Amino acid sequence: MLKSTAANESPLITQVPFGKDPLTVTANQILDHFSGQLPDLSKCQILLCEGRAAAHMRAALADAAEQRGFSALLGPDIAQLDQWVSRFAPRSHRILSRAAQELVLAEVLRGAVEIYTDTDPWLLTDQLITLFDELTRCSVRVGDTLNEFLGTLGENYGISTPTPSLEQEAAILHTLWRAWRQQLQIDAAVDHASAYQQQLQASLTQIEDQMLWIVGITAVTPAEAHWLQALMTDNRARIVLHGDVAGRGYHPDAPLSDLLQKLNMPIPDKSLDADDMTGLFHSIFIPSPDDLRQRALEFAADHSADPLANRLRTLAARDPEQEAQAVALQVRRWLLDDVSPVAIISEDRRLARRVRALLEASDIVLDDPGGWALSTTSAAALLERWLETVEEDFACGSLLDVLKSPFVNFSDRETHLALVRRLEQDIILHENIARGLERYRRHLDFRSERLPGWSGPVQQDLHQMLNKLEHASNPLLAILNGAHHPGKHLNAVQTSLKALGSLERFESDAAGRHLLQVLQRLREAADCSQIKLSWTEFRDWLGRNLERATFRSPATASPVQLLTPRQTRLQQFPAIIVAGCNRTNLPGSPATETFFNQRVRGALGLPTWHETMTEKLHHFCRILHSSERVLLTWHREKDGEAVPVSPWLELLDTFYRSAYGRDLHDHDLAALVARPDARPLTPDLAALPQPQTYPRPTLPVTLRPEVWTAYAHQRLVDCPYRFFAADALGLKAQDEIRETLSKSDYGSLVHRVVQAFNSKVQGLPDPWVGPLDTSHLDAATQLLDAISKRVFADALKENFQARSWFRQWEKLIPEYLDWEIERRHTWTAREVEVKVEKSLNSQLRIRGRIDRIDATGDSVCVLDMKTGHTPKPEEVRKGEAVQLCTYALMLDKPVSRLEYLGFSRDTVKTVSCADETLLSELLPAVQRRLIEVDELLQAGTALPAWGDPPTCNWCEFDGLCRRDMWPDVETPHD
């Protein structure tokens, strides 16, 4: 039996309605209780459900003490329950962290592989630790024998005869649970849940004559219930509940009602009167035979004064972006009205990050106690990318990310970044080297040999950079293979980071320091197990712990706080925004459980989705009572799909409409969000751009070409704007690093092979000399094969797909030689890879490189080799494909034929495009048009984008001309 309190003592349990401040009530209770000992409160221990409320608790005590004539107080101690209980840690056992538990349980799982086949052991470890923690906290008895446990599960599942799946589930859990507990005994260690229970029990004998006030709790475990009952039996504890206990089931009061039931306590008398808001929520959620509309009408009849008038408003945004803008706008409005602090409450972290960005653009910094995953910080990103760099043989993407990180500097920052840019542009991009330190070094030397003017000091500095990277990677490379103790893995990571120069820089960064602390905790966790992990297993373990760790920026005196619903407990705010009020967040959905359904969880005494949902509802209703200014926001759609509103908000809105005949929508805020001038001012006073239309720029004098290439000529014919972007502005897209040999690379290699077969190329076998016919076929094949192997050699070493391209070319060698023999019956290969240039008039020059010029008598044929797309002959004849024509115009001798030599997958064939008769008209026409176009450019004629679909389909500048945004009525061909 609980001891009764004296007449002048506060009740064991106090119920404070949502609309009242529980901390003020608690402060007055404490001072009344210790009235004869003031100002000494050293024997008072206050345990809050939310640590952020400690400052408010001290302020409430100070205010209450000042009203009693005391300007200062001695004590009391204020803490959260779990923090306070940790002071009573058992001395005889180590308390394993989550990371240490993972290693210990992983070692257990290795001894029971036969019972969990086809399951990822690390995923199973994570799930089992969570489940075992729940079983321990909720004091669930697993049973000494498998049959006993199987019977318990069968009864709870409602199955009289166990099924194979139930038997497997029971066997896995029972076997691993017993092995887990035995391993903890062997290691003289305890998990956090067991340690917590021991600490609770130990505190009962160690707190001596202290009086405890437990404030704001909403749920207790069996061990906590037993602990509280013991304290209250000895009259050493008081509980202050924030909320009502009138409702059960699906009701905001349910968590507190269930709490009292677990404590075997009667419902206390209300010490304070509830307000109209409390009555509103009771009317909405309390079970009743009347429908919602009937209850709303009855509420309105009893409450003529609207309890939500000028207090609560809602806003349905179009999409997440508009919702974020609405939240940021309302915060700014309140701050301009000197309303602060403002609480933004949301479970939607993506929306919260966007709101943060919008407010920071207005120089409003948020206080975010929830923080974010450490893995998303730049310090953790550097660690992840460095490990990827070593794992992937210094792949260029991760390597460049490492070298550009602020935590890596091999010299002063400016010099270091300049050197990294040379590595990126000159070696990785221009040499197309995707990975491999030796390949970077080799091509660095090749470039220096090929380009004598290339900087010698840069070459030396790049070699030094690569050497430092290699030195830093050596500790990691030594443990990538085989299995090692996780402590050895972590030591290698630390040694590598130190050699990289990052450890020292981590010390000067808040996130970096936190990362080092996490690595240190993982080292301590590694000491709790003798398990050996492969590199992949270690990376999985490390990644999970970095993802689980939370980085919180230092607290600020910001007028805006970003909180989750749980973090608002025991606090009141002048203004509140609850953002992301959709079904996904409020209430959300139950997590997928690997073991046990909700019915079995409830029967075993484990937390259920119903309990989680009612606790969320409890917090939701409490929050709506916590301020005189509340805005609820959500968005109707995301990525084109409808987003359902929270059922709680839908109930509230429907009830209010039925009761008072009007909605809660904030029409003023909705109108402001739609106005561009409601957004933050910017120092940029430039006029806004006009609506998008098709571009038609003119060419400045300084950008007019002095020499036309065949490719520039073709781009101008395809689309003047493409010519403007590529040739005038030089906006050619940056080359991509290709891990595989592309078709264009293949074409370049084939060109070189054919060139070497017909002419002298340095570094390759001498070309074929003399006649070529079927009698020389074997010798020609051997020569061509030797040339091909030499040309493809580097690609075969450095590109894993080069072999397939080489085999494709080998199959074409007989086809090419047959074509070459047949060709030489009529034509003689006069020149190959010919660089030509010619002036068409005093201000216009053209240049290019012709693949091959053949001759027979007085006739000359221009031949262009194609391994990819070959223009159609009619495109050449109509003057649309002008590459061959441009080549022909450069030659002094009249050209009688234009041809393509196409190398397809299976054949080599000639595509004839124009003969002598057609060329007599075509070439002069192409030349006249080119001269006229050049004159028009000199005169400042615009260069419009054609919007021609065939060209637009493969144009790299569609992001500049924005063809899809042009009005349909426009006709740029003018």
Side-chain angles (χ1 to χ4, degrees):
M1 293 291 293
L2 296 176
K3 294 181 180 179
S4 60
T5 59
N8 63 339
E9 287 188 336
S10 57
L12 293 174
I13 296 180
T14 301
Q15 174 187 343
V16 182
F18 281 150
K20 306 297 181 180
D21 182 9
L23 300 182
T24 299
V25 174
T26 302
N28 284 299
Q29 277 192 2
I30 291 172
L31 295 183
D32 288 343
H33 183 88
F34 291 97
S35 58
Q37 305 173 37
L38 292 177
D40 186 2
L41 295 180
S42 58
K43 293 185 179 181
C44 176
Q45 177 66 57
I46 304 175
L47 301 178
L48 303 178
C49 64
E50 174 54 50
R52 291 180 61 82
H56 300 285
M57 183 73 253
R58 292 190 184 92
L61 283 168
D63 291 342
E66 189 172 357
Q67 293 174 9
R68 288 167 169 77
F70 297 95
S71 59
L73 293 172
L74 178 61
D77 186 24
I78 302 175
Q80 288 182 259
L81 176 58
D82 57 346
Q83 295 172 346
W84 177 77
V85 168
S86 66
R87 302 173 186 177
F88 307 97
R91 302 294 182 184
S92 59
H93 293 80
R94 293 177 300 169
I95 300 177
L96 300 183
S97 65
R98 174 80 182 211
Q101 291 181 59
E102 289 176 336
L103 295 178
V104 173
L105 187 53
E107 194 169 5
V108 169
L109 289 176
R110 287 188 175 177
V113 177
E114 67 280 356
I115 68 172
Y116 66 91
T117 55
D118 300 328
T119 303
D120 179 1
W122 284 100
L123 178 60
L124 183 60
T125 296
D126 188 59
Q127 295 169 343
L128 286 174
I129 288 177
T130 300
L131 178 61
F132 289 171
D133 182 81
E134 290 179 331
L135 292 172
T136 302
R137 287 186 181 276
C138 297
S139 304
V140 177
R141 187 173 182 277
V142 174
D144 295 329
T145 66
L146 175 58
N147 286 336
E148 182 182 354
F149 185 55
L150 183 60
T152 300
L153 292 186
E155 181 180 350
N156 292 328
Y157 274 112
I159 300 174
S160 57
T161 303
T163 63
S165 60
L166 179 60
E167 290 177 343
Q168 181 183 25
E169 181 180 53
I172 291 175
L173 289 178
H174 189 269
T175 302
L176 295 178
W177 168 262
R178 300 277 296 175
W180 162 247
R181 304 312 299 182
Q182 290 172 3
Q183 188 64 48
L184 290 178
Q185 286 184 335
I186 293 172
D187 295 339
V190 293
D191 58 308
H192 263 286
S194 299
Y196 181 70
Q197 292 180 339
Q198 295 176 18
Q199 291 161 355
L200 283 172
Q201 191 64 31
S203 70
L204 292 175
T205 59
Q206 297 181 38
I207 57 177
E208 298 176 348
D209 57 348
Q210 280 190 318
M211 175 65 76
L212 277 63
W213 260 264
I214 298 94
V215 188
I217 59 173
T218 56
V220 291
T221 64
E224 290 171 338
H226 175 77
W227 174 77
L228 280 171
Q229 288 173 329
L231 287 174
M232 289 189 291
T233 298
D234 292 339
N235 198 27
R236 290 192 291 166
R238 300 288 185 269
I239 298 177
V240 178
L241 302 178
H242 193 197
D244 206 347
V245 290
R248 300 296 298 271
Y250 186 57
H251 193 278
D253 295 347
L256 300 187
S257 299
D258 293 342
L259 171 64
L260 292 183
Q261 185 178 25
K262 290 179 180 178
L263 293 175
N264 196 26
M265 293 287 292
I267 296 177
D269 294 333
K270 295 183 180 180
S271 59
L272 298 169
D273 293 331
D275 57 13
D276 290 344
M277 284 281 286
T278 302
L280 174 71
F281 284 101
H282 274 293
S283 298
I284 292 175
F285 291 101
I286 197 166
S288 171
D290 300 326
D291 62 18
L292 187 67
R293 175 178 173 78
Q294 181 62 33
R295 297 203 304 272
L297 293 175
E298 292 175 357
F299 180 85
D302 295 336
H303 301 80
S304 57
D306 182 353
L308 300 183
N310 302 319
R311 176 171 185 161
L312 188 147
R313 289 289 178 265
T314 65
L315 181 77
R318 180 184 61 251
D319 51 34
E321 177 61 24
Q322 189 182 60
E323 182 180 2
Q325 291 175 357
V327 172
L329 177 57
Q330 184 57 60
V331 169
R332 289 163 42 222
R333 293 175 73 194
W334 278 331
L335 293 181
L336 289 173
D337 291 337
D338 292 328
V339 178
S340 68
V342 177
I344 302 174
I345 303 169
S346 182
E347 297 277 14
D348 189 337
R349 294 302 297 176
R350 177 172 294 184
L351 176 65
R353 287 197 299 269
R354 181 55 183 151
V355 171
R356 171 195 286 274
L358 290 171
L359 288 174
E360 289 181 348
S362 302
D363 292 330
I364 300 173
V365 179
L366 276 71
D367 180 18
D368 182 5
W372 51 90
L374 178 64
S375 59
T376 63
T377 64
S378 58
L382 179 274
L383 173 60
E384 175 66 21
R385 294 301 271 169
W386 172 238
L387 298 183
E388 288 179 5
T389 298
V390 177
E391 292 165 351
E392 298 174 4
D393 191 23
F394 293 85
C396 59
S398 55
L399 173 61
L400 291 174
D401 285 345
V402 168
L403 292 175
K404 294 176 183 179
S405 168
F407 299 103
V408 175
N409 284 313
F410 293 144
S411 58
D412 66 272
R413 188 63 178 166
E414 186 175 343
T415 303
H416 173 80
L417 290 179
L419 196 62
V420 172
R421 179 170 177 80
R422 294 300 294 269
L423 174 66
E424 178 180 12
Q425 296 294 324
D426 295 351
I427 305 304
I428 294 176
L429 286 174
H430 289 172
E431 302 292 326
N432 193 44
I433 307 303
R435 64 183 64 241
L437 280 181
E438 289 307 316
R439 293 179 63 196
Y440 295 139
R441 289 181 175 124
R442 186 165 63 252
H443 283 270
L444 177 58
D445 294 336
F446 287 166
R447 187 172 182 82
S448 298
E449 295 172 4
R450 192 169 65 251
L451 303 174
W454 203 62
S455 174
V458 169
Q459 179 190 9
Q460 182 178 359
D461 290 344
L462 283 176
H463 271 299
Q464 291 178 354
M465 175 184 285
L466 297 177
N467 291 340
K468 290 178 181 178
L469 290 170
E470 182 178 31
H471 175 66
S473 70
N474 285 335
L476 298 175
L477 291 172
I479 60 171
L480 289 185
N481 298 317
H484 307 278
H485 187 263
K488 186 174 182 179
H489 285 292
L490 288 165
N491 289 336
V493 169
Q494 182 177 17
T495 304
S496 179
L497 290 174
K498 184 176 181 179
L500 198 62
S502 299
L503 282 186
E504 182 179 352
R505 293 179 176 86
F506 282 161
E507 292 287 357
S508 59
D509 178 79
R513 289 193 295 272
H514 190 55
L515 174 62
L516 294 179
Q517 293 169 5
V518 171
L519 293 177
Q520 178 59 35
R521 290 199 293 269
L522 292 182
R523 260 188 228 97
E524 295 169 358
D527 293 338
C528 299
S529 172
Q530 297 302 314
I531 192 172
K532 291 188 176 182
L533 305 178
S534 67
W535 177 254
T536 301
E537 290 174 321
F538 166 74
R539 289 282 275 121
D540 191 18
W541 179 66
L542 174 65
R544 286 176 181 274
N545 282 278
L546 291 180
E547 188 67 33
R548 190 182 300 122
T550 300
F551 171 68
R552 297 177 178 88
S553 55
T556 65
S558 171
V560 184
Q561 299 180 36
L562 185 59
L563 305 166
T564 65
R566 288 182 60 85
Q567 290 171 337
T568 64
R569 291 175 297 177
L570 302 179
Q571 300 175 80
Q572 293 181 317
F573 302 91
I576 287 175
I577 299 176
V578 184
C581 296
N582 51 58
R583 190 182 298 272
T584 303
N585 300 315
L586 296 174
S589 56
T592 302
E593 302 288 352
T594 303
F595 302 101
F596 309 147
N597 58 29
Q598 292 297 315
R599 172 184 170 182
V600 174
R601 289 180 66 85
L604 291 173
L606 299 176
T608 64
W609 169 242
H610 172 77
E611 294 172 343
T612 301
M613 183 171 58
T614 53
E615 185 173 6
K616 284 188 173 186
L617 177 59
H618 170 85
H619 292 317
F620 177 72
C621 295
R622 173 183 53 76
I623 288 168
L624 300 190
H625 283 75
S626 301
S627 176
E628 294 295 323
R629 302 174 185 84
V630 179
L631 173 66
L632 307 176
T633 69
W634 78 98
H635 50 269
R636 291 193 179 96
E637 67 174 46
K638 180 180 180 181
D639 299 330
E641 296 186 4
V643 177
V645 66
S646 167
W648 301 337
L649 184 51
E650 195 171 30
L651 271 175
L652 175 62
D653 187 65
T654 302
F655 185 92
Y656 187 79
R657 286 174 183 268
S658 300
Y660 295 102
R662 53 184 177 271
D663 60 40
L664 293 167
H665 183 65
D666 193 332
H667 297 278
D668 292 341
L669 179 59
L672 284 174
V673 172
R675 292 175 53 180
D677 57 349
R679 297 177 185 176
L681 291 175
T682 172
D684 183 4
L685 301 178
L688 293 175
Q690 296 299 313
Q692 180 68 37
T693 183
Y694 73 90
R696 43 183 306 121
T698 57
L699 195 62
V701 175
T702 55
L703 297 181
R704 291 170 189 164
E706 296 180 0
V707 179
W708 287 77
T709 66
Y711 293 110
H713 186 189
Q714 185 64 61
R715 278 189 285 269
L716 182 64
V717 172
D718 290 338
C719 176
Y721 184 78
R722 184 167 183 258
F723 162 81
F724 172 78
D727 298 278
L729 298 183
L731 298 180
K732 182 183 177 184
Q734 179 172 284
D735 292 335
E736 294 182 357
I737 305 301
R738 296 185 298 275
E739 297 266 7
T740 60
L741 196 70
S742 69
K743 197 166 188 177
S744 60
D745 297 324
Y746 168 68
S748 298
L749 296 175
V750 170
H751 271 66
R752 189 166 176 81
V753 170
V754 174
Q755 178 189 6
F757 184 77
N758 288 281
S759 64
K760 177 62 179 176
V761 176
Q762 185 176 0
L764 295 178
D766 292 336
W768 181 265
V769 178
L772 179 61
D773 52 34
T774 53
S775 63
H776 301 92
L777 190 57
D778 290 342
T781 299
Q782 291 177 5
L783 174 60
L784 198 55
D785 184 63
I787 294 173
S788 299
K789 288 179 179 177
R790 291 282 293 276
V791 169
F792 275 83
D794 287 339
L796 289 171
K797 290 179 183 177
E798 301 177 356
N799 202 297
F800 70 89
Q801 277 197 355
R803 189 171 300 277
S804 63
W805 286 109
F806 179 61
R807 287 176 178 171
Q808 179 173 323
W809 166 243
E810 281 187 314
K811 293 178 181 178
L812 284 178
I813 288 177
E815 294 286 336
Y816 168 67
L817 288 176
D818 289 344
W819 175 88
E820 190 72 58
I821 291 171
E822 182 65 25
R823 181 73 173 182
R824 295 195 182 198
H825 288 165
T826 307
W827 297 92
T828 300
R830 194 173 72 180
E831 295 178 274
V832 293
E833 298 295 325
V834 186
K835 294 183 178 180
V836 288
E837 185 171 338
K838 183 178 181 180
S839 295
L840 298 184
N841 57 34
S842 59
Q843 62 182 22
L844 176 60
R845 292 182 63 79
I846 55 176
R847 74 162 60 127
R849 188 179 65 179
I850 304 173
D851 287 346
R852 177 165 167 167
I853 300 175
D854 287 353
T856 179
D858 294 332
S859 298
V860 173
C861 176
V862 173
L863 190 71
D864 192 68
M865 291 183 289
K866 296 290 185 184
T867 55
H869 171 72
T870 302
K872 298 177 181 178
E874 53 267 29
E875 293 175 344
V876 177
R877 294 162 189 163
K878 293 178 180 179
E880 295 176 359
V882 296
Q883 182 183 5
L884 285 174
C885 293
T886 308
Y887 291 153
L889 291 175
M890 299 177 194
L891 299 179
D892 294 329
K893 192 171 184 179
V895 175
S896 56
R897 295 184 68 85
L898 300 179
E899 293 180 345
Y900 289 112
L901 177 58
F903 293 84
S904 65
R905 178 178 294 273
D906 301 315
T907 61
V908 177
K909 65 178 181 179
T910 304
V911 179
S912 181
C913 299
D915 57 16
E916 187 172 4
T917 302
L918 179 60
L919 288 175
S920 63
E921 298 180 359
L922 178 60
L923 293 181
V926 171
Q927 179 171 329
R928 283 195 304 271
R929 183 178 64 182
L930 180 55
I931 293 173
E932 290 173 2
V933 167
D934 184 67
E935 291 174 349
L936 289 173
L937 292 181
Q938 302 292 339
T941 302
L943 294 167
W946 287 151
D948 182 44
T951 300
C952 293
N953 287 341
W954 47 263
C955 179
E956 65 270 47
F957 301 111
D958 56 339
L960 294 179
C961 79
R962 299 187 178 182
R963 173 66 183 85
D964 293 339
M965 299 180 66
W966 298 356
D968 293 337
V969 297
E970 293 194 29
T971 55
H973 290 275
D974 55 5

